[in-house]
Amino acid sequence: MTQNAAIAMNTKELTDKYIMNTYSRFDLTFVRGEGVRLFDDKGKSYVDFASGIAVNNFGYNNQAVNSAIINQLNKLIHVSNYFYTEPQALLAEKLCKHSFADKVFFCESGAESVEGAIKLARIYAKKVSKKGYKIITMKNSFHGRTFGALTATGQEKYHAGFEPLLDGFDYVSYDKPDEIEKIIGNEYCGIIVEPIQGEGGVNIPDKDYLKKLKDIASKNDMLLIFDEVQVGLGRTGKLFAYMNFDVTPDIMTLAKPLAGGLPIGAILATERVASAFEPGNHASTFGGGPLVTAAANAFMDELLKKGFIESVQDKGLYIKSGLLELKNKFPDEIKAIRSLGLISGIEFFDLKARDIAVKLAEKGFVTTPVQEKVLRLTPPLIIEKNEIDHIIKTLEEILKSTL
Ligand SMILES: Cc1ncc(COP(=O)(O)O)c(C=O)c1O
């Protein structure tokens, strides 16, 4: 047994003994990453088609992000938000200059950004629009595990056992704006929606759907909140997912990839909406600290390099056509391919996505199943076409072996 294997056994035993049992982990222990590759404790290498969960957009050991972290680490890790820090200010400017937003609030995770967005919508309703406190959210959505975000999440399996949830959320079908028209009234202050549902199975709406939501929200003085925690920041082949749909929100949440793998969240909003928050209304001890925002500045600079986002679009079209070809070869196994930029969902008729993910791992690929029958591919945005060819060929072999 190699020394690393001994460590891994210990790691697995310690994890199972001491960590709360909330994840169905794969039997894999990773020790290192480089580019789009991960290495396990036995030295086996894997091509990553997960990126954490859409976190590691530049893969592993990215030198620009690493240098920014090391440089900031030696200067200042933390200081309270009662004081100014340059990395935070620069990051806020970058996010606003490249989006619809005028103002940003920084926090530490996706769920926390959703909590803050809900609070902002409610206080805007109290102070400005004089609307009620209710929020319309989508069935099949995912917004996080804290109580507000959990309630906004339209999947009963995540609610079970935690009731009563937060008051004031109504659920409508994704991609069916008419359902909102039917219930709309003064009691609602906002609509929260993922431009593409990630955890819900990589669901891509009709191209006019988000615009219709914007119309409904504007006509009724409600705020439109886009949760781009999973699909923002280059993932869909545009800087932000909403840019695929020719529409802007009033509030947007970001997290996962923003700080190159360090924990961060952000709420972006227009000036009109953001001005509802005043000192004392919302806060976060660690939110937007110098270390994470220095990393995020480096991440944003990489993402904004000329031609990079276009390369994501190009590779996105490539993976989509490869997956559609695979579907043609296996019409009885693959029910649907849903893909935009570098987020793809392969929906099977009967096969369990987790079983396919385990087989892919045996053959050296890391993927994440989402719904029971949907396998999600979210490779680092630096993935190469030959690596895309390789996973599709491997999927073909796996599907053949199931016939
Ligand atoms: C759309 C969306 N919102 C919110 C979250 C929650 O983010 P976090 O796990 O950082 O709290 C997720 C996580 O997968 C997500 O996909």
Side-chain angles (χ1 to χ4, degrees):
M1 191 183 288
T2 64
Q3 194 193 358
N4 269 342
I7 291 168
M9 227 181 122
N10 202 16
T11 301
K12 206 176 155 213
E13 280 169 9
L14 289 174
T15 302
D16 293 344
K17 187 162 178 339
Y18 291 111
I19 305 270
M20 290 193 197
N21 185 24
T22 66
Y23 297 101
S24 323
R25 290 178 205 269
F26 288 89
D27 189 8
L28 286 171
T29 302
F30 289 120
V31 291
R32 187 167 73 80
E34 184 66 45
V36 298
R37 289 191 171 267
L38 277 164
F39 296 85
D40 73 10
D41 51 302
K42 295 164 195 88
K44 178 175 166 185
S45 109
Y46 300 74
V47 180
D48 184 16
F49 272 80
S51 308
I53 299 178
V55 170
N56 302 306
N57 279 6
F58 287 100
Y60 302 90
N61 207 13
N62 176 278
Q63 287 308 303
V65 174
N66 283 9
S67 305
I69 293 171
I70 292 164
N71 187 27
Q72 186 60 41
L73 186 67
N74 288 316
K75 286 201 241 168
L76 182 67
I77 296 176
H78 174 78
V79 70
S80 156
N81 278 314
Y82 282 122
F83 307 101
Y84 293 96
T85 58
E86 190 184 41
Q88 183 180 114
L90 292 178
L91 180 61
E93 181 192 37
K94 235 167 252 174
L95 289 172
C96 290
K97 276 201 168 154
H98 292 279
S99 74
F100 73 98
D102 304 304
K103 287 270 161 69
V104 185
F105 176 90
F106 289 113
C107 51
E108 289 120 52
S109 69
E112 207 189 332
S113 68
V114 171
E115 294 292 332
I118 294 167
K119 282 181 71 181
L120 181 56
R122 281 195 176 187
I123 205 154
Y124 178 84
K126 269 251 151 63
K127 288 185 183 168
V128 185
S129 66
K130 310 294 177 199
K131 292 277 169 171
Y133 63 89
K134 288 180 111 185
I135 291 185
I136 292 171
T137 185
M138 306 306 147
K139 291 178 185 162
N140 221 23
S141 59
F142 187 85
H143 297 288
R145 305 295 192 139
T146 51
F147 264 103
L150 181 67
T151 312
T153 294
Q155 300 190 58
E156 272 169 27
K157 66 179 181 199
Y158 295 123
H159 293 175
F162 299 108
E163 301 88 349
L165 300 177
L166 190 67
D167 188 24
F169 285 80
D170 284 329
Y171 306 88
V172 297
S173 303
Y174 188 63
D175 211 7
K176 296 218 170 101
D178 296 356
E179 286 192 18
I180 301 183
E181 307 263 25
K182 279 185 201 142
I183 61 167
I184 203 85
N186 275 332
E187 65 272 39
Y188 294 103
C189 66
I191 301 172
I192 184 164
V193 63
E194 294 156 89
I196 291 170
Q197 289 187 332
E199 297 300 306
V202 189
N203 302 317
I204 304 171
D206 185 81
K207 69 175 174 19
D208 289 331
Y209 171 58
L210 297 173
K211 261 196 231 162
K212 285 182 186 160
L213 293 190
K214 176 86 177 194
D215 281 351
I216 296 170
S218 307
K219 271 189 210 136
N220 293 282
D221 212 355
M222 290 157 64
L223 300 180
L224 184 59
I225 305 167
F226 286 167
D227 181 346
E228 294 220 8
V229 164
Q230 185 160 154
V231 295
L233 296 162
R235 176 59 54 193
T236 65
K238 298 271 183 189
L239 185 55
F240 298 108
Y242 71 78
M243 293 170 170
N244 292 288
F245 299 98
D246 202 18
V247 60
T248 58
D250 302 291
I251 301 174
M252 175 170 72
T253 56
L254 295 176
K256 291 182 183 289
L258 179 56
L262 294 183
I264 191 169
I267 308 164
L268 280 68
T270 59
E271 175 72 48
R272 173 178 66 96
V273 173
S275 59
F277 266 164
E278 291 170 76
N281 283 157
H282 200 50
S284 165
T285 294
F286 291 112
L291 189 67
V292 285
T293 46
N297 276 308
F299 166 81
M300 287 301 292
D301 292 345
E302 291 288 283
L303 195 59
L304 292 167
K305 272 190 183 153
K306 204 165 173 317
F308 183 74
I309 304 257
E310 289 73 16
S311 77
V312 176
Q313 271 172 34
D314 179 43
K315 289 182 284 191
L317 292 173
Y318 191 77
I319 198 169
K320 187 174 179 183
S321 78
L323 290 173
L324 286 171
E325 242 173 69
L326 187 71
K327 178 177 180 292
N328 283 342
K329 287 185 190 160
F330 296 92
D332 297 331
E333 284 71 33
I334 298 180
K335 187 174 174 190
I337 298 295
R338 295 184 287 273
S339 193
L340 185 65
L342 286 171
I343 180 164
S344 310
I346 306 168
E347 184 173 1
F348 300 106
F349 282 107
D350 296 314
L351 293 168
K352 301 254 189 312
R354 191 178 167 95
D355 295 343
I356 303 293
V358 168
K359 289 193 170 135
L360 277 168
E362 283 163 11
K363 291 176 184 290
F365 294 94
V366 181
T367 55
T368 46
V370 265
Q371 299 292 306
E372 196 191 3
K373 290 177 183 158
V374 182
L375 185 72
R376 174 181 47 192
L377 305 180
T378 47
L381 306 183
I382 55 169
I383 196 84
E384 298 284 351
K385 285 184 181 169
N386 65 320
E387 287 146 347
I388 293 174
D389 291 342
H390 193 181
I391 195 171
I392 291 177
K393 195 162 162 282
T394 308
L395 270 166
E396 186 173 340
E397 284 163 20
I398 291 172
L399 290 176
K400 261 190 202 145
S401 74
T402 65
L403 295 179

